[in-house]
């Protein structure tokens, strides 16, 4: 198969791992910097170019779209879908997962356990918003933040009011969330590939840090997850329509709650922690889907 990894940087661990795993299985692998692509939106003949080269003959793409380029990256993925190229995660699913509020709404609708979350626009609702999530301490998040940036723990009501006011002053969309204190600065990352949890790790924030992101100095270890946690992770990925996903759970007093679902989960932490070849599993999954002519469900319609 001719497979394109849509990634800005060949040297990133995840990109290299997927590239190598594809080569090892005899595929014709390409890394394409999607930000440098341009698209031709012509009636019935959608095309995509990198410089003057027309990108043709691909069987599958693996989107690794960075948070900064969600809008453009999803347009590139959609263009491939319109050209009948299989994308392991569809563009609509990626856009859904990038908006924390939209994702949580979709998960809530299907009964997935979530931290109590509130969203509002009008500054006059701040008081009600804080009350809704159980008062201080509470977590305030930028809707499109990533790697822990824009996630704030407000210990007191006063602090929460100031943070909300500051974010609103910057015209940023935020949500307020119940602080799951009992998680102890740790979360569980479940790696879902093709409807199965293929690996899981526990991430612990560094001393004095409630955010467990590895990019913020968190450390990872192997964890055994319960059957409920496993099924929650699988259902969350499926509700958002993601074949490959990193589902983050918090262990709360009322069971595991989904905190977020990532559509381009990093592979380095999970592969080194668990010793599993996740990149290989992703390529194996794509082989199976393409062979069964699954195609993307939306064909770029979304
Ligand atoms: P990002 O997309 O920036 O990673 P997250 O929503 O995953 O944002 O939050 C970053 C980290 O903050 C999480 O990994 C978790 O450790 C911590 N965290 C987020 N929300 C909560 C919460 N409601 N209660 C407790 N800890 C939280
Ligand atoms: Mg996160």
């Amino acid at each position: 198969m001719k497979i394109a990894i849509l990634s800005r940087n060949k040297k990133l661990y995840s990109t290299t791992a997927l590239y190598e795993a594809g080569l090892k299985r005899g595929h014709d692998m390409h890394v394409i910097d999607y930000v440098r692509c341009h698209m031709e939106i012509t009636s019935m003949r959608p095309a995509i170019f990198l410089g003057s080269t027309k990108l043709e003959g691909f069987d599958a793409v693996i989107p690794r779209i960075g948070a900064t380029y969600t809008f453009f990256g999803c347009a590139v993925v959609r263009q491939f879908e319109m050209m009948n190229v299989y994308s392991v995660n569809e563009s609509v699913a990626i856009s859904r997962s990038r908006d924390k509020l939209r994702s949580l709404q979709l998960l809530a609708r299907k009964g997935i356990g979530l931290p109590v979350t509130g969203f509002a626009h009008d500054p006059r609702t701040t008081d009600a918003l804080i009350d809704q999530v159980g008062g201080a301490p509470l977590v305030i998040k930028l809707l499109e933040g990533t790697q822990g940036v824009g996630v704030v723990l407000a210990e007191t009501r006063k602090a929460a009011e100031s943070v909300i006011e500051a974010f609103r002053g910057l015209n940023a969309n935020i949500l307020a969330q119940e602080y799951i204190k009992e998680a102890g600065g740790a979360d569980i990352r479940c790696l879902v590939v093709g409807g199965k949890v293929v690996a899981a790790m526990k991430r612990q924030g560094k001393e004095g840090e409630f955010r467990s992101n590895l990019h913020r100095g968190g450390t990872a270890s192997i964890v055994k997850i319960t059957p409920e946690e496993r099924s929650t992770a699988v259902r969350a990925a499926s509700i958002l329509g993601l074949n490959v996903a990193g589902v983050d759970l918090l262990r709360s007093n009322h069971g595991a709650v989904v905190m977020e679902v990532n559509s381009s989960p990093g592979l380095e932490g999970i592969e080194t922690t668990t010793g599993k070849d996740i990149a290989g599993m992703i390529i194996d999954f794509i082989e199976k889907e393409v062979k069964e002519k699954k195609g993307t469900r939306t064909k770029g319609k979304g």
Side-chain angles (χ1 to χ4, degrees), residues 121 162 272:
H121 178 74
S162 310
T272 41

Side-chain angles (χ1 to χ4, degrees), residues 100 115 139 141 145-151 177-181 183 185-187 203 210-213 248 250 259-260 262:
K100 287 183 201 278
V139 176
K141 295 185 191 186
T146 183
Q147 298 181 354
V149 180
V151 179
Q177 200 163 64
E178 161 197 15
Y179 174 48
I180 310 289
K181 188 165 191 279
D187 71 354
R203 298 179 301 190
F210 84 105
R211 294 166 297 182
S212 59
N213 303 67
D248 296 340
L250 288 173
M259 191 175 43
E260 68 165 343
N262 291 281

Side-chain angles (χ1 to χ4, degrees), residues 25-43:
R25 288 161 178 77
H27 299 300
D28 179 14
M29 301 299 294
H30 299 257
V31 176
I32 293 173
D33 180 358
Y34 56 93
V35 176
R36 289 177 47 231
C37 287
H38 62 101
M39 293 162 267
E40 195 173 289
I41 323 287
T42 311
S43 177

Side-chain angles (χ1 to χ4, degrees), residues 82-286:
M82 294 194 309
M83 292 157 55
N84 277 324
V85 179
Y86 173 80
S87 178
V88 68
N89 277 338
E90 293 186 35
S91 56
V92 277
I94 301 170
S95 338
R96 271 181 207 132
S97 74
R98 285 294 157 82
D99 178 335
K100 287 183 201 278
L101 178 65
R102 185 176 175 193
S103 310
L104 293 179
Q105 285 178 316
L106 292 169
L107 297 173
R109 190 171 68 150
K110 298 284 183 182
I112 298 283
L114 305 167
V116 178
T117 304
F119 179 68
H121 178 74
D122 194 311
R124 285 168 296 190
T125 56
T126 300
D127 253 357
L129 185 65
I130 296 174
D131 288 336
Q132 192 195 341
V133 300
L138 71 152
V139 176
I140 298 156
K141 295 185 191 186
L142 283 178
L143 277 203
E144 300 201 4
T146 183
Q147 298 181 354
V149 180
V151 179
V152 180
L153 173 61
E155 313 249 12
T156 64
R157 191 173 190 99
K158 268 269 148 287
E161 286 166 2
S162 310
V163 172
I164 293 173
E165 196 184 332
F167 276 147
R168 286 221 172 104
L170 298 169
N171 242 338
N173 275 316
I174 50 154
L175 55 79
Q177 200 163 64
E178 161 197 15
Y179 174 48
I180 310 289
K181 188 165 191 279
E182 60 273 23
D187 71 354
I188 313 278
R189 159 63 58 99
C190 299
L191 221 295
V192 178
V193 178
K196 288 192 195 85
V197 175
V198 295
M201 65 178 170
K202 180 175 176 169
R203 298 179 301 190
Q204 179 73 54
K206 62 174 187 225
E207 186 75 33
E209 171 63 70
F210 84 105
R211 294 166 297 182
S212 59
N213 303 67
L214 299 183
H215 285 100
R216 310 213 65 83
T219 49
S221 57
I222 298 184
V223 69
K224 205 170 152 39
I225 57 170
T226 66
E228 289 77 34
E229 288 167 342
R230 190 172 288 275
S231 81
T232 299
V234 167
R235 284 188 62 215
S238 145
I239 291 165
L240 295 185
L242 293 166
N243 288 315
V244 174
V247 181
D248 296 340
L249 306 174
L250 288 173
R251 284 179 168 165
S252 83
N253 288 338
H254 44 102
V257 291
V258 173
M259 191 175 43
E260 68 165 343
V261 184
N262 291 281
S263 53
S264 294
L267 301 182
E268 184 169 16
I270 193 94
E271 286 198 345
T272 41
T273 305
T274 63
K276 291 188 178 164
D277 174 18
I278 313 286
M281 296 182 200
I282 294 174
I283 303 287
D284 291 343
F285 173 75
I286 294 172

